Amino acid sequence: MTQPPEPASFDVAGPLDGDPIVFVHGTRLSRTSWSAQVDGLGDRYRVIAMDLPGHGALSHRPFTLRAAADELERVIVDAAGGRAVVTGLSLGGYVAMDLAARRPELVRALILSGATQEPIGLRSRPYLVLAWVIDRLGRRGFDDLNRWFFRTRYPAAIADPILGGGFHSDGGSTALRALVGERFAPRLAAYPGPVLIINGDLDVLFRLGARGFARSARDVRRVRIRGATHLANLDRPEVFNEAVRRFMRTLEGRP
């Protein structure tokens, strides 16, 4: 029996000849969390927002770090012509570093937001605690909490696409546990290309780890966004987008 085709798991916008940027979301969210970047950067760049396994259109697929990186590779090949700047928030940043270390020829540059803390030892506790909370509340309870949070905190232009994409607590819990015990600074050190590290100044846990990650990178720039939490692309979308634009300009003329 022929299996029905999978629903689309990535969105593409912007000019066909624009430099491609692939956006990779954080845990429990989906590609719709990048709507402010798709709208704000699609005038010049070929912007591609994708879903990870366990999330969005791929919620039926189990999340593993390797499966997520393989999905990112597929999107770069299928939607970006085989090479792209990769922007990852939180979970997405870790996935991006994993692929960049293994397949650097696919990654023109890395933009990492809220992904500068190693989930090892005591520093893994926040990941495990959040996974425990998700499991304790149950999928429905945690999804209800997320809907309330995003409706309350963000304007409709940002919140509505996120709510439309749904929340994926089961996949998020699995993804958090999959990160624990993994080291990502060595992966970043193995990547030879340019790196931009973005942190919200209110995202203390990840901001404090940024210096160590920056020391690991070979060609790095750092931006701290005032008034932003872990969700810097949602808290200060215009500032986030401008940081991406400035970084993209530094890549002009480079292979």
Side-chain angles (χ1 to χ4, degrees), residues 10 95 132-133 170 216 224 229:
F10 60 84
V95 172
W132 179 86
V133 169
D170 290 345
S216 298
R224 183 185 298 181
T229 66

Side-chain angles (χ1 to χ4, degrees), residues 148-194:
W148 172 84
F149 171 79
F150 283 97
R151 281 198 186 105
T152 302
R153 178 166 176 79
Y154 296 107
I158 289 177
D160 286 352
I162 293 173
L163 296 171
F167 299 99
H168 308 279
S169 299
D170 290 345
S173 175
T174 301
L176 288 165
R177 289 188 169 89
L179 295 180
V180 170
E182 298 282 349
R183 292 182 179 269
F184 291 91
R187 289 172 164 95
L188 187 59
Y191 173 64

Side-chain angles (χ1 to χ4, degrees), residues 184-216:
F184 291 91
R187 289 172 164 95
L188 187 59
Y191 173 64
V195 178
L196 172 65
I197 292 174
I198 299 176
N199 291 102
D201 67 352
L202 302 178
D203 189 16
V204 177
L205 175 66
F206 291 90
R207 177 169 57 79
L208 291 178
R211 182 175 297 178
F213 272 69
R215 285 196 298 265
S216 298

Side-chain angles (χ1 to χ4, degrees), residues 65 90-91 93-95 97 114-128 175-187 205-206 209 213:
L65 184 59
S90 193
L91 173 65
Y94 292 120
V95 172
M97 282 185 274
T116 48
Q117 192 60 265
E118 295 282 36
I120 58 173
L122 290 177
R123 287 170 288 180
S124 69
R125 293 287 179 84
Y127 302 79
L128 294 173
L176 288 165
R177 289 188 169 89
L179 295 180
V180 170
E182 298 282 349
R183 292 182 179 269
F184 291 91
R187 289 172 164 95
L205 175 66
F206 291 90
F213 272 69

Side-chain angles (χ1 to χ4, degrees), residues 97-127:
M97 282 185 274
D98 185 71
L99 180 66
R102 292 190 293 105
R103 298 293 308 276
E105 72 279 6
L106 300 176
V107 181
R108 184 184 180 198
L110 277 175
I111 302 175
L112 306 172
S113 181
T116 48
Q117 192 60 265
E118 295 282 36
I120 58 173
L122 290 177
R123 287 170 288 180
S124 69
R125 293 287 179 84
Y127 302 79

